[in-house]
Amino acid sequence: LLARRPTAPISASVVCGLDSVGVMRPYAPIHHVLFDRITADALVMTSGNLSDEPIAISNREATNRLGPISDAILHHDREIHNRVDDSIVAVVSDKVRIVRRGRGWTPTPVSFPFDVDAIAAAGAELKSSFCIGKGGEAILSQHIGDLKSPETLAFFEESFARLCSLFRFTPELVACDLHPDYLSTRFAESLGVPIVRVQHHHAHLAAAIAEGAIEGPVIGVVFDGTGYGTDGNIWGGEFLLADMISFQRCAHLDYIPLPGGDRAVREPWRTAAALLHLTFGEDRFPEAILGVDSSEVEFVRTMIDRGVNAPLSSGVGRLFDGVAALAGIARRARYEAEGPMLLEASLPRGWEELDPYRLDGLVAPAGGGSDEPSDSTPIIPWRGLVSDVVDDLRGGVALDVVAARFHRWVAETILRQCDRIRGETGVRTVVLSGGVFQNRKLLAHVEALLSEAGFVSTTPTRVPLNDGGVCLGQLAVAAARRR
């Protein structure tokens, strides 16, 4: 459970500059035994694994993998047969939102209003999970993690085999992501059954549409960091008109080059350099604001100009990265989404009342796009935003005000685009999804704005907003197309 920071002091090394902390009550006998023998009121706990690896489930595995970083290991004589992380939820606007679906939530099924039998869905690459269909129910796996290591892939395959055996499931159809290089996609291809490939952000929306039994199309606002688009670029700042079968791309954030590709995620100053370079050009480039060696900056600008190893991204998550780096926080990220999380934590009381940064008009002609590559899809520019952020930073404006005006820009952009699409289509139901909406303050504010404007907004409730819910949407799309 993500809660506001308590009044008792907590080490800075635990909260890392954030304004909330995850808490849980003792739920296992060993927890109660520990508290019988210590005098502390609380323990700082984390999962029993190295970063990006599955949790250890045997004494030998724990000793071999965690021994080098542990002072001591408490063994247990009770075997663990299935790796399952603790679940994480957050309460936003009095509603429980799932962040990670694990212990206590899986394998509890999600009921569908139609048949999903014999369909498997392989999920995404990050925060991976999968699901299988039995009759009118989808049975989701536990949180698997990022499929970047042989250990995590082996965990994925082991969990899939176990779930199929437990529920006597044999796939006749499998859904997967469009990205050809995702290990989850390759796993789906290895099953030897017909495949339905589902665009990443469409899957985000389909999960909410299916579980809510929503009739007709919805306006989908899907903001995250990464998702393979139908034009071959990285999507993540998307306004879609969608049902469970298909979607239209109605607007998107202007593309941002990511110098170094994935390296720009680990070193957000690179994204900030791209924002500055495209906003100010060579003559007025405010290099000093980056706090990075000039030779590195020049190398990155050359990559952008030549289009070498600088893939294009419309991801709002990357925009958050860039603004955070401009503001001097998390120029090199120590953990995923460090900059965006610190920006959220910086928001002052009453930030919703501050003026947003400059809201420029759409760049491309209006009229909606399609799920095929199209040059007519309206583009949401960010150069005016970046220019205003730089002006504030140079003028000595406090970080909390910069964070507030940026969050307001994001929220007002959502409201404006939803209002435009409603005027063109008459659709007033809005689905919010994607990892950016794990920002609890932004989500609450956007939901309030949409409600005041006469929209009905919803989010996935049985699965995470992040990529942990993508498999449910893939299953829904495959079932709807099969029907």
Side-chain angles (χ1 to χ4, degrees):
L1 174 67
L2 296 176
R4 297 292 299 179
R5 186 188 297 175
T7 55
I10 297 177
S11 169
S13 63
V14 174
V15 294
C16 297
L18 303 178
D19 65 344
S20 61
V21 63
V23 297
M24 65 180 181
R25 298 290 301 274
Y27 63 80
I30 190 65
H31 297 156
H32 292 272
V33 172
L34 285 171
F35 278 107
D36 284 342
R37 286 162 173 77
I38 63 175
T39 57
D41 294 326
L43 292 174
V44 177
M45 308 188 79
T46 186
S47 301
N49 66 298
L50 298 176
S51 181
D52 296 330
E53 289 188 4
I55 56 175
I57 61 171
S58 71
N59 292 331
R60 176 182 296 180
E61 192 177 8
T63 300
N64 291 341
R65 289 166 51 191
L66 305 179
I69 62 170
S70 304
D71 294 321
I73 293 178
L74 176 63
H75 287 180
H76 206 299
D77 61 0
R78 188 177 183 184
E79 285 191 48
I80 299 173
H81 291 280
N82 190 23
R83 304 174 204 263
V84 184
D85 284 275
D86 290 307
S87 294
I88 301 175
V89 302
V91 177
V92 182
S93 302
D94 297 324
K95 296 179 183 177
V96 174
R97 321 289 177 128
I98 299 176
V99 178
R100 185 171 72 193
R101 207 173 193 267
R103 191 190 314 275
W105 285 92
T106 58
T108 304
V110 176
S111 297
F112 271 62
F114 49 81
D115 178 56
V116 294
D117 195 61
I119 304 176
E125 179 92 335
L126 305 178
K127 299 175 181 63
S128 171
S129 65
F130 62 85
C131 64
I132 60 176
K134 291 285 287 186
E137 293 184 327
I139 302 161
L140 278 75
S141 75
Q142 69 273 45
H143 167 81
I144 302 293
D146 296 353
L147 297 181
K148 292 182 177 180
S149 69
E151 294 84 3
T152 309
L153 179 60
F155 175 30
F156 180 98
E157 295 170 342
E158 162 198 313
S159 300
F160 186 83
R162 178 180 289 110
L163 211 61
C164 289
S165 174
L166 183 63
F167 289 95
R168 299 177 183 176
F169 172 83
T170 301
E172 297 176 3
L173 181 68
V174 61
C176 66
D177 196 272
L178 279 183
H179 200 301
D181 293 328
Y182 273 6
L183 293 181
S184 56
T185 299
R186 294 180 181 180
F187 174 79
E189 293 168 346
S190 74
L191 295 178
V193 299
I195 294 178
V196 175
R197 302 180 192 273
V198 183
Q199 200 280 324
H200 184 88
H201 302 92
H202 185 205
H204 270 295
L205 295 180
I209 295 171
E211 74 166 46
I214 299 173
E215 296 291 335
V218 302
I219 300 170
V221 184
V222 192
F223 284 3
D224 60 10
T226 300
Y228 190 75
T230 56
D231 60 357
N233 291 322
I234 303 168
W235 289 9
E238 310 306 314
F239 291 86
L240 308 177
L241 187 67
D243 55 23
M244 276 190 292
I245 294 177
S246 62
F247 71 94
Q248 292 179 315
R249 197 182 191 196
C250 298
H252 67 86
L253 186 71
D254 197 4
Y255 285 119
I256 304 168
L258 302 181
D262 285 345
R263 190 170 176 181
V265 180
R266 301 188 299 273
E267 300 178 10
W269 71 264
R270 292 168 172 263
T271 304
L275 296 175
L276 293 177
H277 186 53
L278 295 182
T279 299
F280 295 99
E282 185 172 346
D283 295 336
R284 296 189 300 125
F285 186 80
E287 182 177 301
I289 203 171
L290 289 174
V292 179
D293 184 82
S294 60
S295 62
E296 288 190 270
V297 175
E298 189 56 36
F299 180 65
V300 160
R301 293 173 62 194
T302 300
M303 294 171 70
I304 296 169
D305 288 339
R306 296 181 180 178
V308 176
N309 194 21
L312 299 178
S313 169
S314 64
V316 172
R318 302 288 77 84
L319 184 64
F320 265 87
D321 282 347
V323 171
L326 288 176
I329 56 177
R331 286 175 175 145
R332 287 181 167 85
R334 296 171 296 175
Y335 53 86
E336 182 186 6
E338 179 182 13
M341 291 169 70
L342 290 172
L343 275 182
E344 178 188 5
S346 301
L347 291 173
R349 289 186 180 276
W351 68 271
E352 302 93 336
E353 304 303 319
L354 293 180
D355 291 332
Y357 283 120
R358 187 189 329 173
L359 290 154
D360 293 326
L362 293 173
V363 171
S370 71
D371 59 359
E372 297 296 324
S374 172
D375 293 331
S376 64
T377 304
I379 294 172
I380 301 161
W382 41 255
R383 286 167 176 78
L385 160 72
V386 171
S387 180
D388 286 353
V389 168
V390 170
D391 286 345
D392 271 1
L393 293 172
R394 284 174 159 173
V397 174
L399 172 61
D400 61 349
V401 175
V402 173
R405 296 189 68 194
F406 172 61
H407 278 75
R408 287 278 294 125
W409 183 91
V410 174
E412 288 293 335
T413 295
I414 292 171
L415 180 61
R416 283 191 175 198
Q417 293 309 311
C418 288
D419 193 52
R420 177 183 67 83
I421 297 169
R422 177 175 60 180
E424 295 172 357
T425 65
V427 176
R428 57 187 291 269
T429 300
V430 178
V431 171
L432 306 171
S433 192
V436 167
F437 289 111
Q438 289 179 153
N439 182 321
R440 301 184 299 285
K441 298 170 188 175
L442 176 65
L443 176 59
H445 183 46
V446 169
E447 287 181 330
L449 288 178
L450 291 172
S451 177
E452 291 169 6
F455 289 96
V456 177
S457 67
T458 186
T459 63
T461 58
R462 304 294 301 279
V463 296
L465 285 159
N466 60 43
D467 285 3
V470 163
C471 64
L472 185 69
Q474 292 173 346
L475 188 82
V477 172
R481 290 179 181 173
R482 183 175 69 176
R483 284 193 302 161

